[in-house]
Amino acid sequence: NAGVTQTPKFRILKIGQSMTLQCTQDMNHNYMYWYRQDPGMGLKLIYYSVGAGITDKGEVPNGYNVSRSTTEDFPLRLELAAPSQTSVYFCASSLDSPGAKNIQYFGAGTRLSVL
Amino acid sequence: KNQVEQSPQSLIILEGKNCTLQCNYTVSPFSNLRWYKQDTGRGPVSLTIMTFSENTKSNGRYTATLDADTKQSSLHITASQLSDSASYICVVGIRGGFKTIFGAGTRLFVKA
């Protein structure tokens, strides 16, 4: 059971480039999330999905896009990368809403630098 | 404003000693409080989850307490091990939705 898998682990982008961060889970979870973690700060929610075909914005969605065509996959797209998007990105999943005491399972993260 | 404050920011202890990490929150309406352990270069892993009616929850050598009246929680680690070196993150869930507020974490270093 792999859990939540993120690729790539590391990436360096030039300003203005685009890329997609991949996330897949094999636990048949309905909810999936993307967070960013900046040094000395708590995780911030970028986007979330409550099921295939349904996505919504979190706290910091600007500069990002997502899609959820299947239950397993939840890719995060960065268009026109900016230095402010340098961060560590975490994908997570849960069977139900975390407000319902469900455990969130996190991937190992993608460390992104925009130079 | 919904906030989660953790203290101390970092802590160094000797192997075998106990320690307590603190979490104060101003989140409303409260749903649940979680403690996560995050090893360097890895994603957070859930340690405990407590709802409003629960005031203590244990997971091995980790014991979390919750005082919903004072909006405080603590994570007590007993007989620390080198593998306990990690960041410990307090997360508070908001009732009625999926939104959670993450603290910045306490960085724990356990020395031999």
Side-chain angles (χ1 to χ4, degrees):
Chain A
N1 191 338
V4 179
T5 303
Q6 292 184 236
T7 57
K9 286 185 169 34
F10 304 95
R11 183 72 184 268
I12 297 175
L13 284 181
K14 293 183 179 179
I15 294 172
Q17 286 186 319
S18 301
M19 76 164 293
T20 299
L21 281 66
Q22 302 292 345
C23 175
T24 187
Q25 52 92 8
D26 62 359
M27 297 173 281
N28 202 31
H29 283 172
N30 296 315
Y31 283 69
M32 294 189 75
Y33 318 81
W34 275 105
Y35 294 91
R36 59 177 288 171
Q37 185 177 38
D38 298 318
M41 307 288 288
L43 275 72
K44 299 290 186 187
L45 183 64
I46 304 171
Y47 270 95
Y48 69 99
S49 169
V50 302
I54 306 171
T55 64
D56 206 348
K57 297 178 181 179
E59 301 172 75
V60 289
N62 292 344
Y64 307 94
N65 277 299
V66 294
S67 59
R68 183 99 181 267
S69 56
T70 67
T71 299
E72 295 79 18
D73 300 308
F74 190 40
L76 177 72
R77 177 83 178 162
L78 278 71
E79 304 282 1
L80 299 175
S84 61
Q85 293 178 305
T86 294
S87 188
V88 182
Y89 292 84
F90 288 101
C91 178
S93 73
S94 63
L95 184 62
D96 204 338
S97 163
K101 208 184 174 183
N102 275 265
I103 295 175
Q104 280 183 301
Y105 296 86
F106 285 82
T110 294
R111 187 175 297 273
L112 175 68
S113 294
V114 182
L115 305 175
Chain B
K1 182 180 178 183
N2 290 319
Q3 284 186 315
V4 175
E5 303 281 347
Q6 293 187 244
S7 62
Q9 283 189 327
S10 63
L11 181 63
I12 302 173
I13 63 173
L14 291 176
E15 186 179 16
K17 297 296 185 182
N18 303 335
C19 67
T20 300
L21 314 181
Q22 300 290 343
C23 173
N24 296 334
Y25 61 93
T26 56
V27 175
S28 182
F30 175 87
S31 173
N32 57 69
L33 187 145
R34 305 155 182 261
W35 282 95
Y36 286 89
K37 178 186 180 187
Q38 184 177 20
D39 292 315
T40 300
R42 307 298 296 270
V45 174
S46 179
L47 292 175
T48 62
I49 306 174
M50 292 179 290
T51 59
F52 185 89
S53 59
E54 297 172 300
N55 56 22
T56 187
K57 186 69 70 79
S58 291
N59 179 356
R61 294 179 297 102
Y62 301 101
T63 299
T65 63
L66 172 64
D67 185 335
D69 291 332
T70 62
K71 299 188 177 181
Q72 296 180 324
S73 177
S74 64
L75 180 68
H76 185 74
I77 304 175
T78 303
S80 61
Q81 301 175 358
L82 297 178
S83 60
D84 291 331
S85 294
S87 289
Y88 292 85
I89 303 172
C90 176
V91 185
V92 180
I94 297 177
R95 180 161 39 89
F98 71 94
K99 190 171 173 61
T100 52
I101 308 297
F102 284 75
T106 291
R107 188 75 175 94
L108 176 65
F109 300 89
V110 180
K111 299 178 66 174

